[in-house]
Amino acid sequence: MNISWLKRGVLLAVLAFASLAVVACSDDDDSASASTANGDSHEHADTLQTVKDRGVLKCGISGSLPGFSQLEADGSYTGFDADYCRAVAAAVFGDSSKVEFVETTGANRFETLASGEVDVLIRNTTWTLSRDSDLKQSFAAPTFYDGQGMMVKADSPFQTLEDMDGATICVNQGTTTELNLASQFLERGLTYTALTFETTDLLQEAFLAGRCDGWTTDKSGLASRRGVYPEGPDALRILAVTMSKEPLGPLTRHGDDEWFDIVAWVTFGTFQAEELGVSSANVDAQIANPDSVAVALMLGVGYDGGDVTDMGLAVGPQFMQAVLKQVGNYGEIYEKNITPLGLEREGSLNALWTNGGLIYSPPIR
Ligand SMILES: N[C@@H](CCC(=O)N[C@@H](CS)C(=O)NCC(=O)O)C(=O)O
């Protein structure tokens, strides 16, 4: 048999198996719930009302990824993803503290969202076609453009993936990471054994015990966990290779466009605010006397004595005021949470589009 056909067959088999696993994890038992012809669940169609009635936003996060979402000793959560949960709560309630954080794993996160256990998932989750179509989730906008990396012990000989032929690799279950690992090693003609784990804590335990040669996940996840590695960050090396595209961002269930719009435009609003130079420090002054029509539209105030424009978002035209006062713009959220991980924003895809990056909001008008 032609080797490339053999490879292709193996890749298809691996991907078919892996996607079955993902679908199986996410397959909800709600088969009795009302569905449209294309399968979209309408059981949770009025998420905004549900959130308001409950008085708190339920936000799915990881909880063990410093810089993104991390449970602190005092019971609070810190991190970039946690702050985006707060931003949505600020838009809905005018109060960023009205969030109940729900920890999810890579394997159970989609089911947690599909079942209505959370209203939104903000958990270093990659936007892919199958998550849109098979899992019926809607991705608002990437908040962090990432790629998959490989981490090894600093005293190991591995410098490239090619050095890792025959290696054992630790990986999180139900992730794009598993799929990219399979395709990347296959394309390079390399073999490997995968050890899969439901949580990163379990994965780290195995890595510490020497059960795997490599640890693969999003590069941001590697930087995050390298910073708190029990033997210190210098015991680990992240290889230069980037194995995939991982656009990470918030997602909601299919079937509730009103709610999706809120999550999407809160996210875009943080980008737009940074672009316009509006931050937690000057938002009050900008509300009183906006610099430009664009600032006035974003903050839901009149410009030069003019009227407020209501663009019809279900949380009202002033939703960005509390977001900016209580949480901040994209740059502030990045600086506070991700810069300490050593992930430079300048020159990266996560710079504003005006600085050569991909952080771009469609017009708020
Ligand atoms: N972005 C990838 C990977 C997501 C993932 O599961 N990442 C791991 C490592 S960054 C994680 O969140 N671990 C934290 C935990 O165990 O909760 C995806 O969406 O599939």
Side-chain angles (χ1 to χ4, degrees):
M1 187 189 276
N2 178 312
I3 187 70
S4 67
W5 279 107
L6 179 64
K7 278 185 179 178
R8 225 167 285 175
V10 173
L11 177 61
L12 286 176
V14 168
L15 294 181
F17 176 77
S19 63
L20 268 181
V22 172
V23 170
C25 311
S26 60
D27 226 357
D28 196 12
D29 288 336
D30 291 359
S31 34
S33 71
S35 300
T36 62
N38 67 4
D40 293 351
S41 169
H42 279 189
E43 193 187 20
H44 308 288
D46 200 348
T47 310
L48 177 61
Q49 198 54 51
T50 305
V51 172
K52 282 181 169 169
D53 292 347
R54 193 195 297 123
V56 70
L57 173 79
K58 287 195 177 180
C59 195
I61 44 136
S62 155
S64 55
L65 211 53
F68 283 85
S69 59
Q70 158 89 344
L71 177 61
E72 302 295 340
D74 65 0
S76 66
Y77 283 91
T78 54
F80 182 86
D81 287 346
D83 278 349
Y84 269 96
C85 297
R86 292 191 174 94
V88 176
V92 173
F93 297 111
D95 183 348
S96 66
S97 72
K98 298 210 160 152
V99 183
E100 183 183 325
F101 292 98
V102 178
E103 293 195 7
T104 63
T105 67
N108 75 14
R109 61 189 147 164
F110 299 111
E111 187 181 344
T112 309
L113 179 60
S115 68
E117 212 179 305
V118 297
D119 308 306
V120 59
L121 183 68
I122 312 187
R123 185 202 181 281
N124 49 285
T125 295
T126 306
W127 186 356
T128 69
L129 190 156
S130 58
R131 288 171 176 180
D132 264 355
S133 53
D134 269 0
L135 302 188
K136 307 200 184 308
Q137 318 278 350
S138 298
F139 286 79
T143 48
F144 190 87
Y145 290 91
D146 208 347
Q148 184 172 333
M150 179 71 76
M151 187 156 71
V152 297
K153 296 209 163 126
D155 60 6
S156 76
F158 309 121
Q159 299 291 346
T160 65
L161 289 187
E162 283 67 21
D163 296 338
M164 300 191 81
D165 196 14
T168 300
I169 314 287
C170 282
V171 54
N172 289 84
Q173 282 163 8
T175 57
T176 48
T177 326
E178 273 186 290
L179 310 182
N180 299 322
L181 176 65
S183 44
Q184 286 285 312
F185 271 62
L186 187 66
E187 281 172 14
R188 290 171 151 87
L190 306 170
T191 60
Y192 71 99
T193 304
L195 285 188
T196 68
F197 299 90
E198 186 160 8
T199 68
T200 300
D201 289 343
L202 291 172
L203 187 157
Q204 179 177 276
E205 231 173 86
F207 191 80
L208 272 165
R211 290 178 59 206
C212 30
D213 306 300
W215 174 345
T216 184
T217 187
D218 302 337
K219 283 190 151 178
S220 62
L222 294 179
S224 160
R225 295 296 300 223
R226 183 172 178 259
V228 291
Y229 191 60
E231 294 176 354
D234 292 344
L236 297 170
R237 175 173 61 244
I238 299 175
L239 304 187
V241 65
T242 300
M243 297 157 68
S244 65
K245 295 191 287 191
E246 307 290 332
L248 313 176
L251 53 148
T252 62
R253 290 175 285 276
H254 272 194
D256 190 345
D257 293 347
E258 176 187 72
W259 180 243
F260 172 79
D261 284 350
I262 293 165
V263 173
W265 286 97
V266 166
T267 307
F268 287 134
T270 64
F271 303 169
Q272 180 73 5
E274 186 186 13
E275 183 184 331
L276 295 173
V278 181
S279 68
S280 58
N282 66 7
V283 62
D284 284 325
Q286 291 292 326
I287 290 167
N289 188 17
D291 269 353
S292 62
V293 173
V295 170
L297 288 168
M298 179 186 70
L299 296 174
V301 296
Y303 181 73
D304 200 20
D307 291 337
V308 171
T309 307
D310 187 343
M311 288 161 270
L313 197 68
V315 284
Q318 270 129 26
F319 69 102
M320 281 308 295
Q321 294 190 8
V323 174
L324 291 167
K325 284 186 202 185
Q326 298 173 26
V327 186
N329 69 29
Y330 181 83
E332 292 178 279
I333 299 170
Y334 189 104
E335 188 70 30
K336 174 174 144 207
N337 298 298
I338 298 189
T339 304
L341 299 177
L343 296 169
E344 273 300 322
R345 190 173 170 213
E346 206 185 313
S348 81
L349 296 177
N350 299 305
L352 279 183
W353 68 285
T354 44
N355 290 334
L358 294 179
I359 298 299
Y360 177 104
S361 171
I364 296 186
R365 74 170 318 141

